[in-house]
């Protein structure tokens, strides 16, 4: 009975873990540039004496969904959405280079170009700095240009270029802060083929309908495992009663 109870308990625990990850995806269904986590159950044999007749399941993260979210027009000059593969380089809280698809940019009071999460956007030589200006434009290649205060459009000048990279998906790992980094800790090289669309943002790639269906499935799996634990308890009680009667 102890093995039966152990298998049921581990199944319930892993179903709850998978539910947590699925709910995380649902919570970020409206997060700009979010990439959904991918989870899968894997079978493991129960180690120990006797025949290998027991197996249990574990929930493991298999990666993240590379599918591009829809580009939604905002009309805002500082909003940029990456068209196709690629990433925007930002400076994480630990000072290291990290990558994101969220292009909801803004300029802080000191003139540093930031994303919506407050991470400085990196250029060819550190964070991109924007001088006082009448208007800002971001080109398809990440070039940042401004029109100085009191001047006309003909005086537009380039003040920096956003670092756009495209490392292999398998080389990236998501951190607890939601940013991606290369697994080997190195900085990715700029990629001139990455293109952005100004005045648009990429939506989350979470499929809400699929996530809702999965939530229901995992809830039913959890309930099934809890019922199995109750059955194991009842069987143990019945066995104990039989032993007493003999």
């Amino acid at each position: 009975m102890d093995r039966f109870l152990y298998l049921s308990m581990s199944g319930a625990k892993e179903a709850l873990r998978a539910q947590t990850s699925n709910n995380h995806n649902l919570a970020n269904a409206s997060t700009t540039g979010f990439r959904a986590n991918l989870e899968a159950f894997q079978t493991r044999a129960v180690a120990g004496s006797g025949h290998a007749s027991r197996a249990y399941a574990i929930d493991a993260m298999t990666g993240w969904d590379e599918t591009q979210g829809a580009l939604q027009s905002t009309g805002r000059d500082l909003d940029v959405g990456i068209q196709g593969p690629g990433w925007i380089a930002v400076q994480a809280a630990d000072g290291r280079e990290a990558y994101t698809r969220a292009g909801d940019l803004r300029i802080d009071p000191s003139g540093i170009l930031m994303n919506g999460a407050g991470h400085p956007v990196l250029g060819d030589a550190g964070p991109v700095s924007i001088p006082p200006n009448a208007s800002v434009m971001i080109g398809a290649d990440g070039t940042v240009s401004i029109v100085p205060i009191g001047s006309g459009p003909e005086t537009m000048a380039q003040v920096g270029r956003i670092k756009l990279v495209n490392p292999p998906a398998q080389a990236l790992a998501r951190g607890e802060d939601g940013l991606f980094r290369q697994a080997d800790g190195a900085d990715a090289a700029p990629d001139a083929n990455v293109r952005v669309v100004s005045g648009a943002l990429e939506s989350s790639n979470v499929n809400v309908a699929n996530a809702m269906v999965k939530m229901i499935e995992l809830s039913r799996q959890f309930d099934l495992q809890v019922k199995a634990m109750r059955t194991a308890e009842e069987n143990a009680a019945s066995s104990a009663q039989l032993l007493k009667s003999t």
Side-chain angles (χ1 to χ4, degrees), residues 139-179:
D141 60 351
T143 299
V144 181
S145 303
I146 67 166
V147 174
I149 296 175
S151 302
E154 69 281 356
T155 63
M156 181 173 289
Q158 179 178 331
V159 295
R161 184 192 301 271
I162 297 173
K163 183 179 180 180
L164 302 173
V165 302
N166 187 25
Q170 61 271 20
L172 293 175
R174 193 204 305 263
E176 294 184 359
D177 55 4
L179 299 175

Side-chain angles (χ1 to χ4, degrees), residues 96-121:
R96 294 175 54 199
E97 182 172 298
Y99 311 109
T100 181
R101 297 276 298 191
D104 49 344
L105 309 183
R106 59 182 176 84
I107 302 172
D108 76 355
S110 63
I112 300 298
L113 189 64
M114 315 278 283
N115 72 348
H119 300 116
V121 177

